[in-house]
Amino acid sequence: MKEIFDNIFKDGSKIYTKNLAPGRKVYTERLVNVGGVEYREWDKTKSKLSAAVANGIKEVPIKRGTKVLYLGASTGTTVSHVSDIVEKKGIIYAVEFAKRVLKNIFPVASVRNNIVPILADARKPNEYYWVENVEVVYCDVAQPDQTRISIDNANYFKAKYIMIAIKSQSIDVTKKPDDVYKEQIEILKKNGFEIVDWVKLDPYEKDHCFIVAKRL
Ligand SMILES: C[S@@+](CC[C@H](N)C(=O)[O-])C[C@H]1O[C@@H](n2cnc3c(N)ncnc32)[C@H](O)[C@@H]1O
């Protein structure tokens, strides 16, 4: 196991995080024990951040102790790996607007102690105004205006970094994916963020890219 980013590991072509809740799985991931430490395989086809790491993204601003506002938490697949990375000193405010989806996160959050599930619309950060300022806004809501949503949240909660998964077809099915990616990058730049790095997510996710941006 080689640590390639803070608390993110690689063995051959597989990516892993250390299991913060040993013995427990969150989805269909494989658990492996190395030297008495349990790792969870981070499925590149089920998590865009794992796909971005596999495809060579240069920086992952989520580290041990990081405070993250996660928009589009869904059932908690990626949230659970982010929870492994930030460990007990970090925290993830996990926003999801679909009640039936969010309820799947509660069993995950109850054994981890660093995930705060929030039923709210990510377009309305004032609905969760009580959240403290964070270092990173992670956005995977698959909405046409999701870059705007991530910037608004980053400004509201004073985040230094935005990490965003872009699904070209959620933004404009008539445009070439590369043109959609460029437009989203321009929106971030015009709003005071520089691009740290971005990668396409093929072959794990077709017509998706992943961007890491930093406030200037
Ligand atoms: C692509 S899925 C997220 C997958 C998840 N990030 C993962 O990797 O495990 C997008 C999620 O965003 C949620 N979503 C979409 N628009 C939203 C909004 N405006 N506010 C909050 N959640 C939203 C959807 O209900 C869906 O669960």
Side-chain angles (χ1 to χ4, degrees):
M1 270 309 158
K2 187 176 173 225
E3 189 168 7
I4 51 169
F5 291 109
D6 198 34
N7 245 350
I8 301 177
F9 302 84
K10 201 170 180 189
D11 186 20
S13 63
K14 297 189 189 314
I15 315 281
Y16 296 87
T17 57
K18 261 192 266 170
N19 196 353
L20 193 61
R24 288 176 188 263
K25 290 187 183 193
V26 175
Y27 52 107
T28 52
E29 77 276 28
R30 217 166 44 95
L31 303 180
V32 296
N33 195 297
V34 182
V37 178
E38 189 175 276
Y39 295 83
R40 300 166 60 224
E41 188 178 338
W42 197 356
D43 191 332
K44 301 181 270 269
T45 64
K46 292 199 165 72
S47 172
K48 289 155 208 156
L49 181 51
S50 180
V53 169
N55 283 359
I57 195 98
K58 287 199 196 84
E59 193 176 330
V60 177
I62 297 174
K63 303 173 194 300
R64 287 176 178 85
T66 304
K67 292 173 187 158
V68 181
L69 176 61
Y70 191 114
L71 310 173
S74 189
T75 55
T77 301
T78 302
V79 167
S80 69
H81 287 283
V82 172
S83 156
D84 287 345
I85 298 168
V86 304
E87 291 183 344
K88 299 229 186 284
K89 285 191 178 158
I91 191 157
I92 303 136
Y93 297 97
V95 176
E96 169 58 55
F97 73 176
K99 211 180 200 168
R100 265 190 250 160
V101 173
L102 186 76
K103 76 168 195 237
N104 295 296
I105 276 204
F106 285 91
V108 181
S110 69
V111 292
R112 290 176 162 267
N113 296 322
N114 64 4
I115 300 170
V116 182
I118 301 171
L119 180 66
D121 183 343
R123 287 196 180 91
K124 298 174 184 161
N126 57 321
E127 283 186 0
Y128 41 94
Y129 66 89
W130 48 267
V131 166
E132 66 187 312
N133 288 345
V134 296
E135 281 122 22
V136 176
V137 166
Y138 184 107
C139 185
D140 183 18
V141 288
Q143 296 282 357
D145 55 340
Q146 64 168 3
T147 304
R148 184 73 254 163
I149 291 174
S150 59
I151 293 165
D152 288 348
N153 276 273
N155 289 341
Y156 199 102
F157 297 103
K158 311 271 183 289
K160 193 168 171 192
Y161 287 94
I162 288 176
M163 300 172 76
I164 182 166
I166 304 284
K167 181 181 179 183
S168 167
Q169 290 182 348
S170 300
I171 292 172
D172 194 334
V173 279
T174 66
K175 286 188 181 152
K176 286 188 193 150
D178 279 353
D179 292 339
V180 172
Y181 306 154
K182 271 184 216 151
E183 276 173 16
Q184 303 311 302
I185 284 172
E186 281 315 307
I187 296 174
L188 285 161
K189 285 183 178 168
K190 278 194 191 125
N191 284 277
F193 287 83
E194 64 176 346
I195 306 305
V196 176
D197 197 16
W198 73 278
V199 290
K200 293 182 189 177
L201 300 186
D202 302 275
Y204 309 110
E205 294 278 1
K206 196 176 172 309
D207 297 337
H208 281 67
C209 83
F210 195 95
I211 304 170
V212 177
K214 186 178 179 186
R215 194 183 290 283
L216 283 166

